Amino acid sequence: MLSEDDYKKLFIFFAHVIQTIGEYLKMRQQVIATATVYFRRFYARNSLKSIDPLLLAPTCVLLASKVEESGVVHSSKIVNVCSHVIKMKFSFAYPLLQEYPFKSALVSECEFYLLEALDCSLILYHPYRSLLQIIQEFQDETLLTTAWNVINDSLRTDVALLYPPYLIALAALHLASVIHQKDLKLWFAELSVDLTKIMEISKEILSLYDLWKTFDMKKDSVTLLERMPKPKTASSSPQLQEMAINQELRLLQQVSQGVKNLSQVL
């Protein structure tokens, strides 16, 4: 059995996998953030047994690249990059894995399953924009850089699922001001926001850092991945195919209804 901390460490690990895949593909941080939130949203509703996270991680990157209009990235390219990343950067976690076990066709099928699980609710608003607007009041690059990094780290928690982006941006700024010993108490006191929420987010991120200190990724990952709940089948392909077919049927129905409505208007 995995403890709550073990699950949190697993999500830290796979967030790092998503980050590395996105960086290899030279994607913007917003795309990587979207992919990471998709990943967490999926497993907030589904067990780790439903889809192997090693399959879902590149699938989230693929979908996020489309939603954030980050250029055309084919599933085969995602698979090739993922294979390279696992081999070069995460071989310590998968010492027995000779090659990436999932083909591009399965990643495409998994994308339909992911769309279904997310209820096709794909547009996300991240704290980066709010932070850039807030930081104009201070014109402090040091605070901006640290707060930006804190937001990146917050993706390894559930705060993006629980709080609006502007509160996460304020919490990141709060932590950055503490790190750099900038006194912003009076500025925060004058804000018309719920300061208790900012403190909750700050505590959640600080809790992440405390856990992160105890997590030796290179030493602990193999054991965690071995104990992680796994799908009953190697690929869950039949289930993915069924979800893909259902999604395609829904899309066809929507198009047909749209054509029907247009014909009535004309």
Side-chain angles (χ1 to χ4, degrees), residues 93-104:
Y94 298 96
L96 302 179
L97 196 64
Q98 299 298 320
E99 61 180 17
Y100 185 65
F102 304 108
K103 304 300 181 183
S104 60

Side-chain angles (χ1 to χ4, degrees), residues 148-162:
W148 189 281
N149 290 334
V150 170
I151 291 173
N152 291 345
D153 293 340
S154 75
L155 295 170
R156 288 147 175 81
T157 72
D158 286 331
V159 296
L161 309 183
L162 301 172

Side-chain angles (χ1 to χ4, degrees), residues 216-236:
D216 189 328
M217 194 175 294
K218 290 192 175 181
K219 290 183 179 179
D220 300 340
S221 295
V222 174
T223 303
L224 282 174
L225 291 170
E226 287 176 350
R227 294 166 52 210
M228 181 184 72
K230 296 176 178 60
K232 293 181 180 179
T233 58
S235 64
S236 298

Side-chain angles (χ1 to χ4, degrees), residues 18 30 66 99 214:
I18 291 172
Q30 181 164 328
K66 296 176 181 179
E99 61 180 17
T214 68

Side-chain angles (χ1 to χ4, degrees), residues 2-242:
L2 292 174
S3 66
E4 183 179 351
D5 283 350
D6 289 336
Y7 275 101
K8 289 180 179 178
K9 289 176 182 178
L10 278 172
F11 285 113
I12 290 174
F13 172 80
F14 283 108
H16 194 45
V17 171
I18 291 172
Q19 181 78 33
T20 308
I21 294 172
E23 289 174 354
Y24 264 78
L25 290 167
K26 294 181 170 37
M27 290 180 171
R28 293 175 288 114
Q29 180 58 34
Q30 181 164 328
V31 181
I32 297 171
T34 295
T36 308
V37 174
Y38 286 169
F39 187 87
R40 295 197 71 92
R41 277 177 60 188
F42 179 87
Y43 286 116
R45 296 182 176 183
N46 300 276
S47 166
L48 289 167
K49 292 181 179 180
S50 58
I51 292 183
D52 192 323
L54 194 58
L55 170 60
L56 189 70
T59 304
C60 289
V61 175
L62 177 64
L63 182 58
S65 70
K66 296 176 181 179
V67 173
E68 298 292 349
E69 299 181 349
S70 184
V72 179
V73 182
H74 196 271
S75 57
S76 60
K77 184 176 182 180
I78 292 278
V79 168
N80 289 337
V81 168
C82 192
S83 181
H84 177 75
V85 164
I86 297 300
K87 185 177 180 180
M88 301 303 295
K89 296 292 186 179
F90 296 97
S91 57
F92 61 85
Y94 298 96
L96 302 179
L97 196 64
Q98 299 298 320
E99 61 180 17
Y100 185 65
F102 304 108
K103 304 300 181 183
S104 60
L106 192 58
V107 172
S108 298
E109 291 174 11
C110 186
E111 185 180 16
F112 284 106
Y113 193 10
L114 178 60
L115 280 165
E116 176 80 10
L118 298 178
D119 295 327
C120 294
S121 178
L122 305 176
I123 303 301
L124 299 181
Y125 298 95
H126 296 292
Y128 303 110
R129 182 180 297 180
S130 298
L131 177 64
L132 290 174
Q133 292 174 343
I134 294 167
I135 208 68
Q136 291 178 5
E137 198 166 330
F138 302 99
Q139 296 295 321
D140 191 322
E141 286 295 323
T142 303
L143 278 179
L144 172 61
T145 301
T146 303
W148 189 281
N149 290 334
V150 170
I151 291 173
N152 291 345
D153 293 340
S154 75
L155 295 170
R156 288 147 175 81
T157 72
D158 286 331
V159 296
L161 309 183
L162 301 172
Y163 301 95
Y166 77 94
L167 285 181
I168 300 173
L170 287 171
L173 179 62
H174 169 251
L175 290 174
S177 68
V178 172
I179 291 170
H180 295 292
Q181 299 181 345
K182 305 275 188 179
D183 190 358
L184 301 183
K185 292 179 182 177
L186 182 59
W187 183 85
F188 274 102
E190 293 175 348
L191 294 177
S192 299
V193 298
D194 189 344
L195 295 180
T196 59
K197 297 295 184 184
I198 295 176
M199 291 300 105
E200 287 174 7
I201 298 169
S202 298
K203 287 179 181 178
E204 187 67 26
I205 296 172
L206 289 174
S207 176
L208 167 72
Y209 290 143
D210 289 338
L211 180 66
W212 214 333
K213 290 177 184 176
T214 68
F215 181 32
D216 189 328
M217 194 175 294
K218 290 192 175 181
K219 290 183 179 179
D220 300 340
S221 295
V222 174
T223 303
L224 282 174
L225 291 170
E226 287 176 350
R227 294 166 52 210
M228 181 184 72
K230 296 176 178 60
K232 293 181 180 179
T233 58
S235 64
S236 298
S237 185
Q239 186 180 21
L240 292 176
Q241 289 175 351
E242 181 182 353

